[in-house]
Structure formats: C-alpha cells, structure tokens
Amino acid sequence: MRVGIPRGLLYQYYYPFWKTFFEELKVEIIVSSPTTKEIVNKGIEFSVPEICVPMKVYTGHVEQIIDKVDYVFIPRMVSISDKEYFCPKFMGLPDMIKYTVPGALNKILSPKIKSDSDSIANPKFYGELKSRLGISTWDLHRALKKADKAWNNFRALSKKGYILTDALDIFEGKKVPSKEPTFKDGEVTIGILGYVYDIYDPFISMDITDKLKELNVNVLTFEMLEDQAIKDSIKFMHKKLFWTFSNKLLGAGYHFYQNPKVDGIIQVTAFNCGPDSMIGKMLELESNHFEKPFMTVRIDEHTGESHLQTRVEAFIDMIRRKKMAGGVSRESNLSPYGLNTSI
Amino acid sequence: MKVTFPHMGSTLVYRKLVEMLGHEAITPPKPSQRTIDLGVKYSPEFACFPMKVIMGSYVEALEKGAEVILTSGGHGPCRAGFYGEMHKRILNNLGYEVDVWVFDSIKRDYKNFMNIVKKLKGDNSWLRLWTILKLLYQVTKDVDGFEMQLQTKRAYETKKGDCTRAWDKIQHIYNSVQDEKGLKEARQQCQNLIDEIPVMIIPEDQKIRIGIVGEIYVVMESAANMKMEETLGSLGCEVRRSHYISEWIEHNMIPKAFSKSHEEEILKKGEKYIEIKIGGHAKETMGNIVDFHEQGFDGIIHLMPFGCLPELVSQSIMPKLMDDLDIPVLTIALDEQTGTSNNLTRIEAFLDLIRNKKRNRLSKVS
Ligand code: SF4
Ligand code: SF4
C-alpha cells in the first residue's frame, strides 16, 4: 500500500504529523518532489486560470505522484478553530482535485478535519481510513497519538525560532539542532507575513527567507509566535475573519507592528488571494499609525526572480538607511509607509 | 424610522415589510452605472463585486435620507459575512449616521435575529407581525410564480418588452396589497395581465430552456449581470434562476421542523461534486445544475463575481459535471469592468451550440 503526499499547501505545517502517522501504520508514503517548473506547468494545465498560484502548484504535485500510488492523501481541512474555517478553496480541495487531475477520481483519501484547535489528532476525523487502509481502531488511535506528539515537537522547534524549512530538516534528521535556532545577528529584523505554502515553496516565494539571510536580516514568521500571542493581538477586533490561517497572519501582523525589535513587514501573497487582499489592506492602513514600513509582494506563476530580489533589496536598504539616520520615526517626511505595489 | 435595504432583483418584500410595520421605506433606485461608480469609489478595491454594487445602493439610499439599513448576512463562511460591518464603517467614515441591521439566518443566530425583529416590530402586536409575515410570504410566493411565467413567455412575446413591462406592473400591483382580500384581487389582476400578452407559437422541439445559476447577488440583480434574463429572453430562451426570494425565505426563516426546503434538496444533489458547504453558493450551484438537467433544461449560464472564492471551486469542477450530464455550461465572471459586447457574443455562440446540439439529437432519433 502506497500513499502519496503532495508537497504543497499545508505540507510545510503538518508533514511531520502525516509522516509519523503513516509510518506508524506501516504504510509506505511517497512525497512529491520540491516544486519544479514542470510541476507548475502541469498545475496550470489542470486548473482554471483565475485560481491562486498555490492551488495550481498543489494540483501539479498531485499529478506528479498520482500514477505511482494507491491513494493520495488530501485531508479536507474544514476548521482548526472554533467558529472559524479554511478558505473555501481548501474546503473544496478534494473535490477539485478529484475531478480535475486525470486518474485521481477514486484515489483520494480525504478525512474531514473539523477541529477546534491546531491539533488534528482526533480519531473521529479519520474513520474513513479504517476500511480503505484496512487498519483497526486501535492502530488508528496509536498512530494518531504518536503523530500528534511528533507534530508538537516540530511546532516547538518553530516556536524556538527555527525557520520552518530548518525545523522540517531537523524533524527528518537531516540537520541537528544548533545552539542558536536562527540567524540572530542581522542588523535588521523583518516580519514576513504569508501562508506556509507561499513562504516556503521554493518556486512561489523563490526562497525569500534565504535571500533575507544573505542580506543579513533576521526573519520572524507567524509560526514562530505563540498561538496565544497571535490571538491576543487581534482581540480588539469586533469581528474576526472567518479563516483561521488568515487570522493568524493578521494577528502576527499586529504583533510585528507592536514588537519593537521588528523593523518592517513584508507580506508575501499570491495574486487573486481573496483573504490576503483583506489582510493586506487592513495592515497597510495601520502602517502609518505604527510608523513601520510595510510592503506587499504579490506573486503569480509569471513572477521573475530578479524582480523579487530587487524589491526585497530596495526595501531592506530603505530600512537600513532609516536606522542609520537614527530611527524610522524621525524621518517621517520621507514616507516609506504602506508601499503596496505588486511585482 | 427611515429604513432602506439592498437592491437585489426586486425590493418588494423588504419594502412592504418595512412599510406595513409603520416605518418609512427608502427604496434604493435600481443600480445604474452611477451606483456602480459610487460603489467602486467607496469600497476597498479588493472587495467582491456584489459588495461594491450594494455599497453604491446604500449611498444612493442615504442621499434620499435613509437612517437604517436592513440587510441579510452572508451565506456560509465567506467574505460576505463582513459586508454589514464594512459597509457600516465606510458609511460612518463618509459622515452618514447610519445603523446597519443584519438579518443572519434565524437558524444560525437566533438572538440577533429576534433583536432585529423586535426593533422592527416596534409597537405592533405580535399577532399583527405574524399576519404581515404570513401575507408577505404569500406575496413572494405569488410574485415568484408570476415571474416564472414571464420568464417563460418572454421568449415568445410578439412585442418586445411586453413581459418586462408586465413585470413592473405586477410589482406595482402587489405593492399595494394590504390583506388577504387585496391579495386575491391582485392575483387575479396579474394573471390576466400575463394572459393578455400575445405570443408566438413555437414547436416544442424548438424551445430552448436555460437555467441561470451561481452566486446569489449576480444571479438575482439584473443590473449586475447585464440583464441576463432579458437578454436570453430576447434571444428566444425560456429562463429559470437558481434563486427565488420565496425559496430563500423558506430556507433561512422557517424552522426545519416545518419544512424540508427546496434548497436542502438542491444541496443533496450537489453533494457528488462538492461534498460539503464551502461558503457562498458553490455547492448549490452544482446542485442546481443537476436539478435543471433532471428537469430537461438545454443549457446553463453560470454567473460568478470575478475572483469569487467558492465559485472558483465550482468553476474548476464544471468540465467534469458537463461531461457527466452532457449539458453545456457557460461560466461568466462579472465585475465593474465586464464588457457587455464581448459577453453577448459568447452567449450567442453558446446558444448556437445548444441549438445545433438539439438539432443533431433530434435528427439522430428520427
Ligand atoms: S487563502 Fe488565498 S492563497 Fe490560500 S488557497 Fe485561499 S485564495 Fe489561495
Ligand atoms: S461568495 Fe463570492 S462574492 Fe460572495 S463573499 Fe464570497 S467571494 Fe465574495
């Protein structure tokens, strides 16, 4: 029995859970390769043009492994927080893949995740796997427990400050934990706002975290923050967004604004992302109020790498100059705030 | 109290509800280019198209002196859930002292629902309120029924515009219905109006029936969909929509125990293609197409606001559904930049395809 795991969307967030889970069940897993041009092109071929790039990329990943596996694992992410949901595209993802990727029709394992917290280990979500994978209730419980533990360890790495890609490497045993989780000597600290599938996909964001490191910049992301801190920073909002990860980003955004160590914020977002356009606008408006530079980088399948590089460099340069001139707030007549151009 | 409400197709029910409870109804004008321009100007650029048009309508109603906006909440977890809040904030910022009352489904938020009901009810007795609601429900049922008749007849009217004129008159007639007796008279009068419209006789096998499905606002509001129903009618097609007000009331306002709503059946039919409700009307869209197909419709026009999250999911699955059911579907994405002429060409080509398909099928049988 072979189960395929596409390296897209929530892979970066839940892979340690999924991997441990299937290994415990003695199910062989096949993970698609890191995103390549070919994967993207396949994704484009099988998607509607207006859909966001992460969805296209994911579609390409499924296509790459569909013929090599008995099942593809595409959990239906409905909710991981009380009264909040996933973006409609996530909730309809298994249906979309099922009917668009050739050969996927009967191969999709999509347990319905309706949790009230980030933990996705409740056995009641996974009932359908028992018959399809031929496993007992007891096995299921045991594997979920183990998976949850592995995942919590992995999340703890993020919260210590490891960049997600490093945390995954440590989880896989490819890297040993270092004394200092991340690079912490940079002259500038940037909060990056974006979904894990945008920030950590080498194709989508073109390794933006590495680029920043090369520029001697410290990086902070939402998954490094404590869940409570994120929640607290948007407590003041009367009505929150419906989407959990979008709320996390919004919370992280406010946190970055309030955190004196953070010098500026870069939002990385996909063209046509409905939820992000709302977050982006709200945070852009706050940029003046907090006197911190905010920049949005919008990405689609045609975005060139040099363009991204130039924009990021210019942004960092600007911040560095401000800092040398003695702090951002003193130069308010040279307003760099709320830069919101797309590339 | 001067109360206004969104313009979504017809404003009859909202207006009557408000007036019969003793408030002053400020009916927003039918959305025009000005409405859309105002909406675009005052809405954040990322907002969905329906939100922008509604924004424009509110501004126009406020210009006419409205003090309260009465509206219904979003459908499922989507951006629309914020519209009430966002509209209020923007309008207040513009200097309008306006209150926004959002009717969410009674099944979802009973307390809020009852709160608004109490505010609207004012000094009226509960019995009076009940009588009004019952009457209005009848009115919507009647009016929806007449609208359907016109949607059929429009395809065959000998004098262009007869049906649309009749439709305006019907709404006018029902607007002055105050009680059961008036209702009966109106019913008779309107039926006569419709029966008098002269039509051409078209053989059954040449009739074309088109279902319009998709996101509720762009399906219901002709100003937002390039007058899709009239366009199709003038091209000789009978039309039905996926949404009618009486069905919406049945689904959202009447407790489940009393009725198994039409919408639930539709959802059931959509389940094969989109298993769960994902927000907006995506699942209904699939279910409605299956339903129209079962009723023998010849084709489907699928309307969605540009970039609409849930409808992008239905659009993705559309090729498979078209294949399964062998029914042509034309998806049209709408926003303030939608060009009418380009889409008209697409619609004409689509209808040609349907006619050819029908002809081929018939010649095969004989
Ligand atoms: S949240 Fe945005 S990027 Fe993610 S799936 Fe939805 S639309 Fe796409
Ligand atoms: S259903 Fe579509 S139009 Fe309605 S709020 Fe959601 S994205 Fe906007």
Side-chain angles (χ1 to χ4, degrees), chain A residues 48-52 76 78 85-89 91-93 95-96 98-100 105 110 112 237-243 272-275 277-278 281 298, chain B residues 44-47 76-83 85-86 89 104 271-279 306-310 312-317 320 324:
Chain A
V48 290
E50 288 80 24
I51 212 156
C52 54
R76 189 186 296 273
V78 178
Y85 298 89
F86 275 79
C87 164
K89 295 178 195 170
M91 294 199 274
L93 180 67
D95 306 311
M96 256 194 301
K98 187 155 122 190
Y99 293 122
T100 52
L105 192 59
S110 57
K112 223 176 277 162
M237 284 178 65
H238 173 61
K239 208 167 178 180
K240 309 216 175 5
L241 298 168
F242 275 117
W243 310 293
N272 291 338
C273 171
S277 57
M278 299 184 83
K281 195 72 196 176
R298 267 197 202 102
Chain B
E45 88 244 34
F46 61 77
C78 202
R79 285 186 269 183
F82 294 94
Y83 286 1
E85 183 94 351
M86 201 132 76
R89 265 200 233 166
D104 277 311
E271 203 159 282
K272 177 176 171 202
Y273 296 99
I274 298 180
E275 206 181 302
I276 62 164
K277 287 170 101 172
I278 64 171
F306 198 84
C308 172
L309 302 164
L312 272 168
V313 174
S314 43
Q315 193 193 359
S316 302
I317 301 171
K320 167 69 179 164
D324 280 3

Side-chain angles (χ1 to χ4, degrees), chain A residues 9 52 54-55 87 89-90 195 197-198 246 270 272-276, chain B residues 309:
Chain A
L9 295 178
C52 54
M55 284 288 158
C87 164
K89 295 178 195 170
F90 269 94
Y195 303 112
Y197 45 84
D198 286 336
S246 311
N272 291 338
C273 171
D276 267 2
Chain B
L309 302 164

